[in-house]
Amino acid sequence: MTSQKTPQTMKPATAAKKLGVYLEATPAQFREGVVSRDELNALQSDPPEWLRDLRRNGPHPRQVVAAKLGVSIGGLARGGITDPLTSEQIDALRTENPEWLQRERALQADVRKEAARQKEKNQR
């Protein structure tokens, strides 16, 4: 008797997070099914046009928006950004450079400096 391995699958929300895309902007076929590990690997190595377009233009999920703006997800919330943003909206925010964004970027820089200082201290 041989046992067949069942493929590892994940919910579309998990796959979208791993791909760095906003789930609600993905095609219905992606949202309504399950994604196997092999399918995820194929999407990552050879992304279809819809995935390339989402990554390029958005809308982007909060973690991607935060990374592109150089702030934390909490910083986005403090700045009043709760919805996904397109690349165009992110670029507009960068150009406008509102006070909250400047403040959150400075805060994020301080957090990174402190983390580096702690890491260095722990390595001694």
Side-chain angles (χ1 to χ4, degrees):
M1 180 178 192
T2 61
S3 69
Q4 289 185 335
K5 255 184 139 172
T6 57
Q8 182 183 11
T9 59
M10 62 193 80
K11 294 177 183 176
T14 304
K17 188 172 185 175
K18 289 180 181 287
L19 293 169
V21 295
Y22 181 56
L23 177 63
E24 300 306 315
T26 61
Q29 181 181 357
F30 181 86
R31 288 192 310 268
E32 294 166 0
V34 293
V35 180
S36 72
R37 175 64 65 187
D38 290 339
E39 290 170 331
L40 178 69
N41 290 340
L43 287 170
Q44 288 173 324
S45 64
D46 186 24
E49 185 59 36
W50 65 264
L51 182 54
R52 287 193 301 269
D53 186 51
L54 273 179
R55 286 177 170 169
R56 183 176 37 254
N57 302 318
H60 302 287
R62 286 182 309 175
Q63 69 268 18
V64 173
V65 173
K68 286 180 179 260
L69 290 174
V71 300
S72 67
I73 292 174
L76 284 179
R78 287 188 292 273
I81 307 295
T82 57
D83 295 328
L85 298 179
T86 64
S87 294
E88 189 176 300
Q89 291 169 313
I90 293 169
D91 290 342
L93 266 176
R94 281 186 191 141
T95 302
E96 184 182 317
N97 202 18
E99 184 182 327
W100 72 265
L101 183 56
Q102 294 173 38
R103 187 175 53 247
E104 291 299 331
R105 282 182 169 166
L107 180 63
Q108 191 69 9
D110 290 344
V111 167
R112 287 187 184 121
K113 282 182 200 171
E114 179 60 19
R117 189 185 71 76
Q118 287 293 328
K119 183 178 178 182
E120 185 179 313
K121 179 181 172 186
N122 291 337
Q123 289 178 347
R124 291 182 189 175

